[in-house]
Amino acid sequence: MKRFTAPEQWSTQYLTTGAFSDLATLFNIDKLSDWPSCQWFNQYLNAKTTQGKAITFVEDEKFADETRYYEQIIFETGQVPTRQQNWHDLFGGFIWCLFPKTKALINHQHIEEIKLHGLKERSKHRNALTLFDECGVVLAITEQSWQQQLRDHQWQQAFVEQREQWGKSIRPFMFGHANYEMLTQPYIGLTGKALFVIVPDDIFCKDLTEQYAYLDQRLYEMIKHDDCLRDNKNLSPLPLLGVPGWWTDNENPEFYSNTDYFRPKRRKRT
């Protein structure tokens, strides 16, 4: 497996692929000349913990003597320890801005699991929460058939034959901040975890901010009431460089012939 190393310096040249287009539209990241500060996020941030504490980003070094676990600090104080000049934490900040209710709920569920199992034992539930938090991609779909195609790894059908439907009956929304970080240095093999969300037919005609707000509410409901992240069963592999509009090389249909990346579905042994 490729060992990923994030770029050390700030440069918008790492943010030019289509995967970052929403961040450019909503946060103008393509126009930033340097790393944004924690305070810079205040203009976009409107999040609270499930206890009603306002979420703020605080420089990580201020927690040097802290003994509490990361999720505990957030839950109890509303403060998110944030490393400066760090791609991973930068993108984590954007996700808090885009999915405030869902992020707060995931934080709350981590705390509940820690109460049950302690910090040493990670339950299937906590593993699923972490996997989605780091690598999740919300696939908003108006037609149920998309879920079966992509779960069955019908890559040719989904990415090539129905390519014109992307943005019409299916649209990807990044949730995992580690995905964003790794897309600063894209490589063949880069794979996220898709969670399918059924949406109204007219959703993609709405303002982008409205789309994120709608999905935030739906994710909140699915996680809280439907328990969709009880384990990893609802998360499906998604080759990120295959998503139409996210990587220029995939405009050539031959790109999808790489079966080491676009792997066929494994048959269950009987």
Side-chain angles (χ1 to χ4, degrees):
M1 179 179 291
K2 178 183 174 67
R3 182 178 176 83
F4 175 78
T5 303
E8 294 183 1
Q9 305 298 324
W10 170 265
S11 175
T12 54
Q13 70 176 352
Y14 302 120
L15 309 173
T16 57
T17 69
F20 295 103
S21 61
D22 284 2
L23 298 187
T25 299
L26 298 173
F27 302 101
N28 295 313
I29 61 166
D30 54 326
K31 297 179 174 62
L32 290 175
S33 59
D34 204 350
W35 298 96
S37 65
C38 288
Q39 292 70 35
W40 178 87
F41 280 98
N42 290 340
Q43 61 189 306
Y44 304 108
L45 189 60
N46 184 22
K48 295 181 179 180
T49 68
T50 55
Q51 298 187 110
K53 295 182 183 296
I55 291 292
T56 57
F57 302 138
V58 179
E59 288 81 357
D60 186 66
E61 55 264 27
K62 294 185 179 179
F63 298 90
D65 299 324
E66 181 61 64
T67 58
R68 288 173 294 184
Y69 182 68
Y70 175 81
E71 297 289 353
Q72 292 172 312
I73 296 171
I74 297 172
F75 184 75
E76 294 174 12
T77 70
Q79 297 180 332
V80 180
T82 305
R83 292 168 293 183
Q84 298 299 283
Q85 300 185 8
N86 180 278
W87 292 102
H88 192 84
D89 288 9
L90 169 70
F91 293 124
F94 288 128
I95 302 303
W96 267 108
C97 294
L98 294 170
F99 296 97
K101 294 188 68 174
T102 304
K103 285 286 289 183
L105 176 61
I106 287 175
N107 171 247
H108 183 108
Q109 292 197 348
H110 271 293
I111 297 302
E112 292 301 308
E113 288 295 295
I114 290 171
K115 288 179 182 178
L116 287 173
H117 304 286
L119 287 170
K120 292 183 179 180
E121 179 185 350
R122 292 187 66 92
S123 64
K124 289 183 178 180
H125 185 31
R126 275 197 74 201
N127 284 338
L129 292 170
T130 300
L131 185 61
F132 183 66
D133 204 18
E134 296 284 343
C135 303
V137 180
V138 178
L139 285 182
I141 55 176
T142 63
E143 299 175 10
Q144 187 74 42
S145 59
W146 281 110
Q147 179 169 331
Q148 197 60 50
Q149 280 182 43
L150 289 165
R151 278 191 171 278
D152 288 344
H153 297 192
Q154 299 297 316
W155 312 122
Q156 186 71 24
Q157 183 176 353
F159 290 142
V160 179
E161 296 174 16
Q162 294 190 265
R163 192 176 188 83
E164 292 184 0
Q165 283 299 309
W166 287 78
K168 297 178 181 178
S169 62
I170 182 171
R171 191 186 191 282
F173 295 81
M174 196 76 79
F175 191 94
H177 52 289
N179 286 342
Y180 271 136
E181 180 187 22
M182 289 186 285
L183 280 162
T184 61
Q185 300 274 55
Y187 59 90
I188 299 298
L190 184 51
T191 302
K193 293 293 182 179
L195 181 67
F196 297 89
V197 179
I198 301 292
V199 297
D201 290 341
D202 65 346
I203 187 68
F204 305 133
C205 299
K206 298 183 182 297
D207 180 83
L208 189 57
T209 302
E210 291 183 63
Q211 294 182 49
Y212 273 97
Y214 176 86
L215 287 172
D216 186 31
Q217 180 63 35
R218 283 291 294 122
L219 281 172
Y220 176 89
E221 294 167 357
M222 289 171 63
I223 295 170
K224 184 176 177 63
H225 302 301
D226 301 337
D227 216 10
C228 69
L229 292 181
R230 173 54 51 186
D231 52 37
N232 292 340
K233 292 179 181 177
N234 288 317
L235 299 176
S236 184
L238 182 71
L240 297 182
L241 302 191
V243 174
W246 277 11
W247 185 240
T248 55
D249 287 1
N250 72 35
E251 294 172 5
N252 182 348
E254 287 299 314
F255 181 74
Y256 298 98
S257 64
N258 181 352
T259 55
D260 287 333
Y261 188 27
F262 299 98
R263 296 179 179 179
K265 184 78 171 182
R266 289 182 180 178
R267 295 182 179 180
K268 292 183 179 180
R269 295 182 178 180
T270 57

